[in-house]
Amino acid sequence: MYFAALLARTEDGWEASDTELDDVETLSDLADLAREASPDEDTVLVLIEQEDAWFGVVRVDGEEDPRIYVSDAAAAARSSYGEILLTDELLGRDPDDGDDLDALDLDGTEDGESGEDGESDDGAGAAGSAEAVPHGPVGDAQILDDLGVSEKELRSMVSDAVTEIAESLGASETLEAVR
């Protein structure tokens, strides 16, 4: 189960809208969806949370490239919504190396098992997969600094992070209206 919402900063404060990500296939699609939420090119945050497993923040400021933070890349990699956020650039991969997520099955593991195998030195395939999708946070941890959420606060959030972020932004009532 996941929850996704758009928070658009306007001159009147934050406006929230619940969003479905079923038609979103790429980060570019997600950025376009965010830009549609703010015709004045204001800051838009896409907040995605999958139960207590992981959360992600995508920040779109006008036509600039989106900035991304994901709390646990390995957990997000097992989610179709997380895969949208885990770009080659974010993971520090060379896009010409092929699709590392498709390569996970080559070592005989099932989805969700590669993290345990990747911690050992048993096989190059498992170790390579663990390097491609690290356990723990990835991305721009300073994504919300100028909005009042420090890197330290963001990294310490675990469960119900979307609510904590909204509270820090002064947008908790707005977010709860669409939850």
Side-chain angles (χ1 to χ4, degrees):
M1 177 106 161
Y2 78 97
F3 173 73
L6 294 173
L7 279 179
R9 187 167 66 175
T10 67
E11 50 188 55
D12 297 328
W14 291 97
E15 291 182 9
S17 57
D18 185 13
T19 187
E20 282 294 322
L21 301 178
D22 293 340
D23 295 331
V24 174
E25 295 180 8
T26 66
L27 180 60
S28 181
D29 293 345
L30 188 60
D32 290 344
L33 183 69
R35 286 183 185 104
E36 289 172 12
S38 179
D40 295 331
E41 296 189 4
D42 292 319
T43 298
V44 178
L45 302 176
V46 181
L47 305 173
I48 302 171
E49 185 173 58
Q50 185 170 8
E51 295 175 347
D52 290 336
W54 67 276
F55 71 92
V57 179
V58 178
R59 179 176 178 161
V60 178
D61 294 300
E63 291 301 317
E64 292 180 28
D65 288 340
R67 295 167 55 195
I68 305 165
Y69 175 80
V70 176
S71 66
D72 186 338
R78 293 186 295 268
S79 160
S80 59
Y81 302 113
E83 288 179 353
I84 294 169
L85 306 181
L86 297 175
T87 63
D88 287 331
E89 181 180 341
L90 188 71
L91 295 173
R93 294 189 301 214
D94 183 358
D96 296 330
D97 285 346
D99 189 353
D100 290 335
L101 295 178
D102 287 341
L104 289 176
D105 292 335
L106 296 177
D107 62 2
T109 61
E110 297 294 325
D111 287 344
E113 292 179 359
S114 63
E116 295 172 290
D117 292 341
E119 292 173 6
S120 70
D121 293 325
D122 293 343
S129 297
E131 289 173 10
V133 183
H135 290 273
V138 296
D140 183 356
Q142 297 176 348
I143 192 170
L144 301 173
D145 271 0
D146 65 323
L147 300 174
V149 181
S150 71
E151 176 178 353
K152 182 179 179 181
E153 290 172 304
L154 190 62
R155 288 186 184 271
S156 69
M157 293 180 185
V158 181
S159 63
D160 210 15
V162 168
T163 300
E164 284 186 55
I165 291 169
E167 285 174 3
S168 297
L169 299 174
S172 57
E173 289 180 20
T174 304
L175 181 68
E176 286 305 313
V178 298
R179 196 166 247 217

Coordinates of all heavy atoms in Angstrom, one line a residue, residues 1-3 48-56 69-82 85-86 112 133-138 154-162 179:
M1 N 0.9 -1.2 0.0 CA 0.0 0.0 0.0 C 0.9 1.2 0.0 O 1.9 1.3 0.7 CB -0.9 0.0 1.2 CG -1.7 1.2 1.4 SD -3.4 0.7 1.0 CE -4.2 2.1 1.8
Y2 N 0.6 2.2 -0.8 CA 1.3 3.4 -0.9 C 0.4 4.6 -0.8 O -0.8 4.5 -1.1 CB 2.2 3.5 -2.2 CG 1.4 3.8 -3.4 CD1 1.4 5.2 -3.8 CD2 0.6 2.9 -4.1 CE1 0.6 5.6 -4.9 CE2 -0.1 3.3 -5.2 CZ -0.1 4.6 -5.6 OH -0.9 5.0 -6.7
F3 N 1.0 5.8 -0.5 CA 0.3 7.0 -0.5 C 1.2 8.0 -1.3 O 2.4 8.1 -1.1 CB 0.1 7.5 0.9 CG -0.5 8.9 0.9 CD1 -1.8 9.1 0.6 CD2 0.3 10.0 1.3 CE1 -2.4 10.4 0.6 CE2 -0.3 11.3 1.3 CZ -1.6 11.5 1.0
I48 N 5.9 10.5 -1.7 CA 5.5 9.1 -1.9 C 5.9 8.3 -0.7 O 7.1 8.4 -0.3 CB 6.1 8.5 -3.2 CG1 5.7 9.3 -4.4 CG2 5.7 7.0 -3.3 CD1 6.5 8.9 -5.6
E49 N 5.0 7.5 -0.2 CA 5.3 6.7 1.0 C 4.7 5.3 0.8 O 3.6 5.2 0.4 CB 4.7 7.4 2.2 CG 5.1 6.7 3.5 CD 4.6 7.6 4.7 OE1 3.3 7.8 4.8 OE2 5.4 8.0 5.5
Q50 N 5.5 4.3 1.0 CA 5.0 2.9 0.9 C 5.1 2.3 2.3 O 6.2 2.0 2.8 CB 5.8 2.1 0.0 CG 5.2 0.7 -0.2 CD 5.8 -0.1 -1.3 OE1 6.7 0.3 -2.0 NE2 5.2 -1.2 -1.6
E51 N 3.9 2.3 3.0 CA 3.8 1.8 4.4 C 5.0 2.3 5.2 O 5.3 3.5 5.1 CB 3.7 0.3 4.4 CG 2.4 -0.1 3.7 CD 2.2 -1.6 3.6 OE1 3.2 -2.4 3.8 OE2 1.1 -2.1 3.3
D52 N 5.6 1.5 5.9 CA 6.8 1.9 6.7 C 8.1 1.5 6.0 O 9.2 1.5 6.7 CB 6.7 1.4 8.1 CG 5.6 2.1 8.9 OD1 5.2 3.2 8.6 OD2 5.1 1.4 9.9
A53 N 8.1 1.1 4.8 CA 9.2 0.5 4.1 C 10.2 1.6 3.6 O 11.4 1.6 3.8 CB 8.8 -0.4 2.9
W54 N 9.6 2.7 2.9 CA 10.4 3.7 2.4 C 9.5 4.9 2.0 O 8.3 4.8 2.0 CB 11.2 3.3 1.1 CG 10.3 2.9 0.0 CD1 9.6 1.8 -0.3 CD2 9.9 3.8 -1.1 NE1 8.9 1.9 -1.4 CE2 9.0 3.1 -2.0 CE3 10.2 5.1 -1.4 CZ2 8.5 3.7 -3.1 CZ3 9.7 5.7 -2.6 CH2 8.8 4.9 -3.4
F55 N 10.2 6.1 1.9 CA 9.5 7.2 1.3 C 10.4 8.0 0.4 O 11.6 7.8 0.4 CB 9.0 8.2 2.5 CG 10.1 8.9 3.2 CD1 10.5 10.2 2.7 CD2 10.8 8.4 4.3 CE1 11.5 10.9 3.4 CE2 11.8 9.0 4.9 CZ 12.1 10.3 4.5
G56 N 9.8 8.7 -0.5 CA 10.5 9.5 -1.4 C 10.0 10.9 -1.5 O 8.8 11.2 -1.3
Y69 N 15.0 12.6 -3.3 CA 15.5 11.9 -2.1 C 14.7 10.7 -1.9 O 13.4 10.7 -1.9 CB 15.4 12.8 -0.9 CG 15.8 12.1 0.4 CD1 17.2 12.0 0.7 CD2 14.9 11.6 1.3 CE1 17.6 11.3 1.8 CE2 15.3 11.0 2.4 CZ 16.7 10.8 2.7 OH 17.1 10.2 3.8
V70 N 15.3 9.5 -1.6 CA 14.7 8.3 -1.3 C 15.3 7.8 0.0 O 16.5 7.7 0.1 CB 14.8 7.3 -2.5 CG1 14.2 5.9 -2.1 CG2 14.2 7.8 -3.8
S71 N 14.4 7.4 0.9 CA 14.9 7.0 2.3 C 15.6 5.7 2.3 O 16.5 5.5 3.1 CB 13.7 7.0 3.3 OG 12.8 6.0 2.9
D72 N 15.2 4.7 1.4 CA 15.8 3.4 1.4 C 15.8 2.9 0.0 O 14.7 2.4 -0.5 CB 15.1 2.4 2.4 CG 15.8 1.1 2.4 OD1 16.6 0.7 1.5 OD2 15.6 0.4 3.5
A73 N 16.9 3.0 -0.7 CA 16.9 2.6 -2.2 C 16.6 1.2 -2.4 O 15.9 0.8 -3.3 CB 18.3 3.0 -2.8
A74 N 17.1 0.3 -1.5 CA 16.9 -1.1 -1.7 C 15.4 -1.5 -1.6 O 14.8 -2.3 -2.4 CB 17.7 -2.0 -0.7
A75 N 14.7 -0.9 -0.6 CA 13.3 -1.1 -0.4 C 12.5 -0.5 -1.6 O 11.6 -1.1 -2.1 CB 12.8 -0.5 0.9
A76 N 12.9 0.7 -2.0 CA 12.2 1.3 -3.1 C 12.4 0.6 -4.4 O 11.5 0.5 -5.3 CB 12.7 2.8 -3.3
A77 N 13.5 -0.1 -4.6 CA 13.8 -0.8 -5.8 C 12.8 -2.0 -6.0 O 12.6 -2.5 -7.1 CB 15.2 -1.4 -5.9
R78 N 12.2 -2.5 -4.9 CA 11.2 -3.6 -5.0 C 9.8 -3.1 -5.3 O 8.9 -3.8 -5.3 CB 11.3 -4.4 -3.7 CG 12.6 -5.1 -3.5 CD 12.6 -6.0 -2.3 NE 12.5 -5.4 -1.1 CZ 13.5 -5.0 -0.3 NH1 14.7 -5.2 -0.7 NH2 13.3 -4.4 0.8
S79 N 9.7 -1.8 -5.5 CA 8.4 -1.1 -5.7 C 8.4 -0.5 -7.1 O 9.3 0.2 -7.5 CB 8.1 -0.1 -4.7 OG 7.1 0.8 -5.1
S80 N 7.3 -0.7 -7.8 CA 7.2 -0.1 -9.2 C 7.3 1.5 -9.1 O 7.8 2.1 -9.9 CB 6.0 -0.5 -9.9 OG 4.8 -0.2 -9.2
Y81 N 6.7 2.0 -8.0 CA 6.8 3.5 -7.8 C 8.2 3.9 -7.4 O 8.6 5.0 -7.8 CB 5.7 3.9 -6.8 CG 4.4 3.5 -7.2 CD1 3.6 2.6 -6.5 CD2 3.8 4.0 -8.4 CE1 2.4 2.2 -6.9 CE2 2.5 3.7 -8.8 CZ 1.8 2.7 -8.0 OH 0.6 2.3 -8.4
G82 N 8.9 3.1 -6.6 CA 10.2 3.4 -6.3 C 11.2 3.4 -7.5 O 12.1 4.2 -7.6
L85 N 11.8 6.6 -9.3 CA 12.7 7.5 -8.7 C 14.1 7.1 -8.8 O 15.0 8.0 -8.7 CB 12.3 7.7 -7.2 CG 10.8 8.1 -6.9 CD1 10.7 8.2 -5.4 CD2 10.4 9.3 -7.6
L86 N 14.4 5.9 -8.8 CA 15.8 5.4 -8.8 C 16.4 5.4 -10.2 O 16.6 4.4 -10.8 CB 15.8 4.0 -8.2 CG 15.3 3.9 -6.8 CD1 15.3 2.4 -6.3 CD2 16.2 4.7 -5.8
G112 N 13.6 -9.4 -3.6 CA 13.7 -9.2 -2.2 C 14.8 -10.0 -1.5 O 15.1 -9.8 -0.3
V133 N 22.1 -0.9 -6.2 CA 20.9 -0.4 -5.4 C 21.3 -0.5 -3.9 O 21.1 -1.5 -3.3 CB 19.6 -1.1 -5.7 CG1 18.5 -0.5 -4.9 CG2 19.3 -1.1 -7.2
P134 N 21.9 0.5 -3.3 CA 22.4 0.5 -2.0 C 21.2 0.5 -0.9 O 20.1 1.0 -1.2 CB 23.2 1.7 -1.8 CG 22.6 2.7 -2.8 CD 22.1 1.8 -3.9
H135 N 21.5 -0.2 0.2 CA 20.6 -0.1 1.3 C 20.7 1.3 1.9 O 21.9 1.8 2.0 CB 20.9 -1.2 2.4 CG 20.5 -2.5 1.9 ND1 19.3 -3.1 2.0 CD2 21.3 -3.4 1.2 CE1 19.3 -4.3 1.4 NE2 20.5 -4.5 0.9
G136 N 19.7 1.9 2.3 CA 19.7 3.2 2.9 C 19.4 4.4 2.0 O 19.0 4.1 0.8
P137 N 19.5 5.6 2.4 CA 19.1 6.7 1.6 C 20.0 7.1 0.4 O 21.2 6.8 0.5 CB 19.1 7.9 2.7 CG 20.0 7.4 3.7 CD 20.0 6.0 3.7
V138 N 19.4 7.6 -0.6 CA 20.1 8.1 -1.8 C 19.4 9.4 -2.2 O 18.3 9.7 -1.9 CB 20.1 7.1 -3.0 CG1 20.8 5.8 -2.6 CG2 18.7 6.8 -3.4
L154 N 15.5 15.0 7.9 CA 15.0 14.1 6.8 C 15.5 12.7 6.9 O 14.8 11.7 6.8 CB 15.4 14.8 5.5 CG 14.7 14.1 4.2 CD1 13.2 14.2 4.3 CD2 15.3 14.8 3.0
R155 N 16.8 12.6 7.2 CA 17.5 11.3 7.3 C 17.0 10.5 8.6 O 17.0 9.3 8.6 CB 19.0 11.4 7.4 CG 19.6 11.8 6.1 CD 21.1 11.8 6.2 NE 21.7 12.2 4.9 CZ 22.0 11.5 3.9 NH1 21.8 10.2 4.0 NH2 22.6 11.9 2.8
S156 N 16.5 11.2 9.6 CA 16.0 10.5 10.8 C 14.5 10.0 10.7 O 14.1 9.3 11.5 CB 16.2 11.4 12.0 OG 15.3 12.5 12.0
M157 N 13.8 10.5 9.7 CA 12.4 10.1 9.5 C 12.3 8.6 9.1 O 13.1 8.2 8.2 CB 11.7 11.0 8.5 CG 11.6 12.4 8.9 SD 10.8 13.4 7.7 CE 10.9 15.0 8.4
V158 N 11.4 7.9 9.7 CA 11.2 6.5 9.3 C 9.8 6.2 9.0 O 9.4 6.2 7.8 CB 11.7 5.6 10.5 CG1 11.5 4.1 10.1 CG2 13.1 5.9 10.8
S159 N 8.9 6.1 10.0 CA 7.5 5.8 9.7 C 6.7 7.1 9.6 O 7.0 8.1 10.4 CB 6.9 4.9 10.7 OG 7.0 5.5 12.0
D160 N 5.7 7.2 8.8 CA 4.8 8.3 8.6 C 5.6 9.6 8.3 O 5.3 10.7 8.7 CB 3.9 8.5 9.8 CG 2.6 9.1 9.4 OD1 2.3 9.1 8.2 OD2 1.9 9.6 10.3
A161 N 6.6 9.4 7.4 CA 7.5 10.6 7.1 C 6.7 11.7 6.3 O 7.0 12.8 6.5 CB 8.7 10.1 6.2
V162 N 5.8 11.3 5.5 CA 5.0 12.2 4.7 C 4.3 13.2 5.7 O 4.3 14.4 5.5 CB 4.1 11.5 3.7 CG1 3.1 12.5 3.2 CG2 4.8 10.8 2.6
R179 N -5.8 12.9 2.2 CA -5.3 11.6 2.6 C -6.5 10.7 2.8 O -7.6 10.9 3.1 CB -4.6 11.7 3.9 CG -3.8 10.4 4.1 CD -2.8 10.6 5.2 NE -1.5 10.5 4.6 CZ -0.4 10.0 5.2 NH1 -0.5 9.5 6.4 NH2 0.7 9.9 4.5

